Amino acid sequence: QIQKPVEFLPNSYGDRFIPRRYALSRASRFKAESKPERQIDPMVMKEMSGYWRTHHYSSVLKNVFGLVSTSDKILTFNDTNTRQVCSQLSMKRPLEWVVRPTYSNLQKLDWSCHPRSKPIAFIEAVHDLPNIKTYYHKIIDWSVAGQIAAIFSKKLVIWTPNTDVIIGLRAQYTTSIAFNPAGDRLAMAIFMMNRPWLDIVNVESNSIGSHGALKMLDPVEHPVSCLTWDGSGQYVVCGFGNGQISIIAAQAKNQCKNTRDNVNYCIHKALIIAIKFSCGSKYMASADDLGQLYIWYWNGGHLTPITCWTSSMCAFFDWHPWCEDEIVIADSEPIMIALYHVPSREVVSYYRRQDCDCIVTTLSFNKISGELVVCYSFTDINKQPEILVLASMDRVVDVMRNHDDVIVHLLWSPDGKQLASVGYDETLTIWNFFGISPTNECKRRKLQCEPMASNSSSRGASVVGGFGGGRDALRIHYNRNKEATYRDLASSFLFKAMR
């Protein structure tokens, strides 16, 4: 089996000299030094439903005729030269890589990606988020334990999708939140009495809401605008309103070390809007609201600057989920999306929008397929914001629309199968990205567990009742709008108001 293009196979075959797919030079399609050769903007969608969809007729025909893909073919091209060369190399299926879809050949894509065969994402739930602090930059997070935490005007709300249990904590002065990699602790940045503070809350089910020691941070009079944990869960990285980055060592029992042990970096000159680590925590990237993006080496709580990316406006970025050396950076306006290779300091490929009719508002990689999700907002107020799913700079896999205002946050579920989008319209939309609904699975498990739970509760109520009451006092069973879903909204998805 041929995994990549080789030099000894002919670039054309047959009596009409049909060129092979790999004969088209990838370098001729994307050059970082000059504009792309194409004249048509692939990101401009035609006003025709389904124009951008890819139709896989061969897959449909194989299913209809019951053909086995590993042994049967509808149409196969073969020539004498290829047969002779491949027979010398003892290849059983010499042209399998030719008849596969183009995107399966990683040489044809700008980054390593396993895109879905067809656009199958659908809306699973829509949550109302009244008075959410959209003017902050890290106001919502989704933990590996399945909990979503969001900051509202006076409280912090934690809930688990597909359940009716909501936990509310007082958080009037909270400016930023982030779950640790294990999902059992939540870091909260607080700004009160003109001083920045850091609080680490335990969010485990048996001790939820227990706080650690409140720690005052330096510098004073500047709030923490963004924070995140490193991959080990031992450090919390805080970005401040004046551009400073502080690294705080978080101990196991929700404690933080003394202020003098903090490591500070003062390269940014403006408010930090994003901090993200690469998949293996080898690199860290930080961006401010003046368009400066810095890439750093990360070494156990210490940073070493590598390079700087300058944008005319805000720059949004995300690291590739399994290729640690690659990062995608998007200039908001004018739109330019670039794939940057950190060790070589080179732009591998890029896309530049020809029209100035929209801006990029955020982006994120899917951790399973490697597809890049990019959010667009248009200058025409009558046009709805779009969520584009890209498998390459010139390949649009899907376009999703639901929000009425700018989309500012993208979150992935722990298994990477659900996408949550949050916009200025104060709504959170949960998309089922791969078309497999976990709601039915949860209902099935619930039905299976209910008989067992009822029997065990009747037998052991006198033993655990006293402890359960105090813990359940923090939990709110929320059933609002469940009955009004289909009657008033005429919708097929669940609508809950988080109030």
Side-chain angles (χ1 to χ4, degrees):
Q1 177 179 342
I2 300 175
Q3 298 293 337
K4 60 182 179 179
V6 290
E7 299 295 337
F8 51 79
L9 284 179
N11 284 336
S12 60
Y13 61 95
D15 57 349
R16 299 188 183 276
F17 300 99
I18 303 173
R20 298 188 185 279
R21 290 184 178 180
Y22 62 78
L24 300 176
S25 173
R26 178 174 177 269
S28 66
R29 295 166 53 200
F30 298 104
K31 295 181 179 179
E33 297 79 13
S34 61
K35 292 185 177 180
E37 297 178 358
R38 57 179 181 270
Q39 300 296 325
I40 299 176
D41 190 343
M43 301 293 179
V44 178
M45 301 296 108
K46 288 188 177 181
E47 298 298 330
M48 183 172 61
S49 178
Y51 167 77
W52 41 267
R53 297 177 185 268
T54 302
H55 301 279
H56 296 272
Y57 296 109
S58 59
S59 301
V60 175
L61 292 175
K62 286 183 178 180
N63 292 334
V64 171
F65 291 108
L67 300 179
V68 181
S69 58
T70 58
S71 59
D72 299 331
K73 294 183 180 298
I74 297 177
L75 183 62
T76 301
F77 288 99
N78 224 331
D79 62 344
T80 306
N81 292 334
T82 305
R83 283 198 299 267
Q84 292 176 354
V85 173
C86 293
S87 61
Q88 296 173 2
L89 297 176
S90 301
M91 294 183 180
K92 296 180 180 180
R93 296 183 60 78
L95 289 180
E96 184 177 0
W97 72 284
V98 176
V99 299
R100 287 177 180 172
T102 306
Y103 58 77
S104 293
N105 182 1
L106 301 182
Q107 300 295 328
K108 291 294 182 181
L109 300 177
D110 297 306
W111 58 83
S112 180
C113 183
H114 305 293
R116 298 160 297 165
S117 59
K118 57 182 178 179
I120 51 180
F122 63 88
I123 296 175
E124 191 168 83
V126 176
H127 298 279
D128 183 20
L129 305 178
N131 299 322
I132 192 170
K133 290 185 177 180
T134 52
Y135 45 88
Y136 289 130
H137 297 278
K138 191 68 183 296
I139 60 172
I140 190 167
D141 199 8
W142 200 338
S143 75
V144 296
Q147 294 178 317
I148 298 179
I151 311 172
F152 294 85
S153 59
K154 295 183 179 180
K155 60 185 175 182
L156 171 72
V157 178
I158 304 175
W159 78 95
T160 304
N162 306 318
T163 66
D164 295 326
V165 179
I166 300 176
I167 301 163
L169 301 174
R170 185 177 300 175
Q172 183 175 359
Y173 305 103
T174 305
T175 61
S176 183
I177 58 174
F179 282 104
N180 69 332
D184 57 354
R185 293 190 291 169
L186 179 70
M188 300 172 56
I190 303 170
F191 190 69
M192 61 182 179
M193 298 181 294
N194 289 328
R195 295 292 188 272
W197 304 80
L198 180 64
D199 187 14
I200 298 179
V201 183
N202 196 326
V203 292
E204 289 181 315
S205 58
N206 57 352
S207 59
I208 191 162
S210 60
H211 295 259
L214 197 63
K215 174 183 175 61
M216 187 174 68
L217 304 178
D218 187 38
V220 298
E221 299 182 357
H222 291 284
V224 175
S225 57
C226 181
L227 61 81
T228 189
W229 296 73
D230 76 317
S232 66
Q234 298 178 1
Y235 299 94
V236 179
V237 182
C238 301
F240 288 83
N242 64 344
Q244 175 177 306
I245 295 176
S246 295
I247 301 173
I248 294 92
Q251 297 177 355
K253 295 183 179 180
N254 290 1
Q255 304 292 327
C256 298
K257 292 185 178 180
N258 296 329
T259 305
R260 62 177 180 270
D261 297 329
N262 298 348
V263 183
N264 301 326
Y265 298 88
C266 303
I267 295 182
H268 287 278
K269 304 301 180 184
L271 181 142
I272 305 295
I273 62 173
I275 301 174
K276 294 181 182 179
F277 283 91
S278 60
C279 58
S281 294
K282 179 181 179 181
Y283 306 106
M284 191 194 85
S286 57
D288 57 42
D289 61 356
L290 291 182
Q292 297 287 331
L293 186 148
Y294 286 91
I295 300 177
W296 316 71
Y297 279 117
W298 172 263
N299 183 16
H302 295 275
L303 295 174
T304 304
I306 299 176
T307 186
C308 176
W309 178 284
T310 302
S311 176
S312 58
M313 286 186 65
C314 294
F316 300 95
F317 66 93
D318 196 20
W319 293 95
H320 192 280
W322 58 77
C323 296
E324 192 162 31
D325 295 332
E326 294 181 355
I327 183 174
V328 165
I329 306 172
D331 292 348
S332 180
E333 185 182 4
I335 293 178
M336 207 249 326
I337 305 174
L339 178 65
Y340 187 79
H341 187 253
V342 177
S344 64
R345 314 289 198 274
E346 292 182 354
V347 175
V348 179
S349 62
Y350 76 99
Y351 160 78
R352 189 187 302 276
R353 191 174 179 90
Q354 299 173 359
D355 300 326
C356 297
D357 59 339
C358 62
I359 61 173
V360 170
T361 57
T362 188
L363 57 83
S364 180
F365 274 107
N366 179 264
K367 312 307 177 186
I368 298 177
S369 64
E371 294 167 298
L372 181 64
V373 180
V374 184
C375 297
Y376 279 64
S377 181
F378 295 90
T379 55
D380 185 358
I381 60 176
N382 295 321
K383 293 192 68 174
Q384 200 174 9
E386 293 181 347
I387 303 176
L388 268 64
V389 183
L390 309 179
S392 188
M393 293 298 181
D394 61 344
R395 177 175 172 79
V396 181
V397 179
D398 200 355
V399 178
M400 302 182 293
R401 302 178 183 91
N402 185 59
H403 290 273
D404 296 326
D405 208 338
V406 179
I407 303 169
V408 289
H409 296 283
L410 292 175
L411 307 168
W412 293 100
S413 62
D415 58 5
K417 296 180 180 180
Q418 291 174 292
L419 172 66
S421 56
V422 181
Y424 283 152
D425 55 1
E426 295 186 344
T427 61
L428 181 146
T429 302
I430 296 181
W431 305 83
N432 195 301
F433 200 70
F434 290 93
I436 303 174
S437 176
T439 306
N440 296 332
E441 298 179 5
C442 294
K443 289 180 179 178
R444 188 161 51 248
R445 293 174 185 173
K446 187 176 181 181
L447 291 174
Q448 292 174 356
C449 295
E450 275 181 352
M452 299 175 60
S454 60
N455 294 333
S456 61
S457 62
S458 60
R459 287 193 297 262
S462 59
V463 179
V464 300
F467 295 97
R471 188 184 311 145
D472 292 340
L474 291 173
R475 301 173 183 269
I476 306 170
H477 293 272
Y478 216 89
N479 297 315
R480 180 173 180 173
N481 284 347
K482 243 185 172 181
E483 298 297 331
T485 300
Y486 301 95
R487 183 180 67 252
D488 297 337
L489 300 178
S491 173
S492 60
F493 52 81
L494 180 63
F495 187 96
K496 293 182 182 177
M498 296 298 171
R499 300 186 186 275

